[in-house]
Amino acid sequence: MNGTPNPDSFIRAGDRVVELKVHRCLWSGKFSENSPLAIAECATELVMRTEIDVRAARDGEFVVLHDDRFDRMTDASGLVREATAAEATRTRFKDGSHPLLFSEAIELIAAHEYPRHIELDLKDLAPYTARQAEALVRAVQPLKTRGHFSTPADWNLRRLLAVDPTLLVSLNPHCYIDTELDDEVRLPTGAYGYRDAHPLARERISTTADYLRDRLGGIMRLVPDPTEAHLRVEMFERMLDDGIDVAELFHSLGVKLDAWTLDAGTPRWRERLARIVAAGADIVTTNTAREFAAVGRSLS
């Protein structure tokens, strides 16, 4: 490959490199999240790791948008799932560009050597049809060695793997265990203080460490050979508060640990970033990678 990764896309922590994943391809903030201009900027700036979001439209096609509605990021309104892909891609981002089809985004990314790694975050919880799974697998082929599908919907990852078992996939466990109240996944608070509907969470019958190892070990095995676990920052911090060696837990399962999402400007962000890096996170997802890298240089 030509060129070295942008030094603002990672932090050196002793002998480790902690990659700063650019959330929704927001590198400089000049362009709209997930837009073709933002994606192209990450390629030009030689960013090591990025993420884009993928949603199903009414006709079963896929578009690169984060929200379930158009309102916040485009000049349109309404639910993405109620629009056709053609209608969705006719809307306009605030930076003047149009949302991409998933296949178009893959072609754009694959045309450049960077980003080296890209997370393809599938936002829909509804089960994919066979046609949808086949379309996603077909579209991702030009980026297959650099891109991986992620989602909390393990059932959809299994559908994709049934089409192509060699795909790279990663899992977010928050459909099953979390610390936050998610509007889509309304888990009750269990006996250990985590949101969890599993029988093991009904009463304290083991240590918190054993409970979390049992639960997260089982959840991560819902998908064959995941490459990464995506842990909400607040969940990561709660586990640290409970005395858990979070990195060791996930590394023992053979996966990298990604903490999402922490940004410069949020309360105590420098202290929180330093704690997460020191605790062994492999990846930190952020909208402010360059600010994080500047702080990271003072940590090394």
Side-chain angles (χ1 to χ4, degrees):
M1 288 194 175
N2 297 322
T4 57
N6 192 307
D8 285 348
S9 61
F10 58 88
I11 291 172
R12 294 197 181 278
D15 60 354
R16 295 191 304 120
V17 172
V18 180
E19 298 183 19
L20 298 172
K21 181 168 55 184
V22 179
H23 195 219
R24 307 175 192 174
C25 283
L26 283 171
W27 176 250
S28 68
K30 295 177 183 177
F31 306 112
S32 298
E33 64 182 44
N34 287 307
S35 74
L37 295 176
I39 294 170
E41 182 183 40
C42 287
T44 302
E45 293 294 327
L46 307 183
V47 171
M48 184 181 293
R49 184 181 289 266
T50 61
E51 177 258 1
I52 60 171
D53 300 291
V54 184
R55 279 195 178 274
R58 189 182 73 211
D59 53 7
E61 298 296 320
F62 291 91
V63 293
V64 179
L65 288 163
H66 174 272
D67 296 358
D68 62 345
R69 298 185 63 87
F70 291 106
D71 306 55
R72 182 177 66 90
M73 289 307 303
T74 77
D75 60 359
S77 61
L79 291 166
V80 175
R81 66 174 178 269
E82 293 180 355
T84 65
E87 291 167 342
T89 54
R90 279 199 298 269
T91 67
R92 193 179 295 274
F93 285 122
K94 294 174 184 178
D95 64 13
S97 64
H98 298 275
L100 294 171
L101 295 172
F102 176 68
S103 56
E104 292 173 332
I106 293 298
E107 290 176 4
L108 176 59
I109 298 164
H112 303 276
E113 293 182 341
Y114 285 84
R116 297 258 182 106
H117 308 283
I118 183 155
E119 178 188 348
L120 310 168
D121 191 359
L122 305 171
K123 307 307 292 184
D124 303 287
L125 296 184
Y128 294 148
T129 64
R131 186 179 72 83
Q132 286 177 310
E134 290 164 1
L136 283 169
V137 170
R138 184 167 55 251
V140 83
Q141 294 303 311
L143 199 67
K144 187 174 172 182
T145 60
R146 291 163 53 197
H148 70 271
F149 288 108
S150 74
T151 179
D154 53 281
W155 47 94
N156 279 332
L157 293 178
R158 289 194 296 273
R159 283 167 167 78
L160 297 180
L161 289 167
V163 179
D164 183 351
T166 67
L167 289 175
L168 300 176
V169 298
S170 60
L171 185 62
N172 182 329
H174 83 237
C175 273
Y176 299 98
I177 187 169
D178 206 342
T179 53
E180 309 303 300
L181 179 59
D182 188 285
D183 288 338
E184 284 190 290
V185 186
R186 301 184 68 84
L187 296 171
T189 301
Y192 296 87
Y194 293 82
R195 292 192 172 274
D196 185 1
H198 195 273
L200 283 177
R202 291 177 186 168
E203 59 179 312
R204 283 184 169 269
I205 53 178
S206 67
T207 66
T208 302
D210 284 345
Y211 155 72
L212 289 169
R213 191 171 293 277
D214 284 336
R215 291 294 291 122
L216 289 164
I219 292 164
M220 294 307 298
R221 290 182 177 90
L222 290 169
V223 178
D225 300 319
T227 60
E228 297 168 14
H230 306 288
L231 204 63
R232 200 191 302 266
V233 163
E234 293 80 4
M235 175 79 171
F236 195 126
E237 293 171 323
R238 171 58 188 276
M239 292 175 69
L240 292 178
D241 290 343
D242 282 340
I244 310 302
D245 187 338
V246 188
E248 185 279 329
L249 192 160
F250 285 97
H251 292 164
S252 71
L253 299 171
V255 298
K256 289 185 175 182
L257 177 57
D258 167 33
W260 65 278
T261 300
L262 181 64
D263 294 331
T266 57
R268 300 172 41 254
W269 67 271
R270 291 178 179 85
E271 176 187 338
R272 296 171 72 193
L273 175 62
R275 187 187 189 201
I276 289 165
V277 168
D282 303 290
I283 304 157
V284 178
T285 300
T286 181
N287 295 292
T288 55
R290 293 186 298 176
E291 290 90 337
F292 276 22
V295 170
R297 283 189 280 275
S298 69
L299 300 176
S300 59

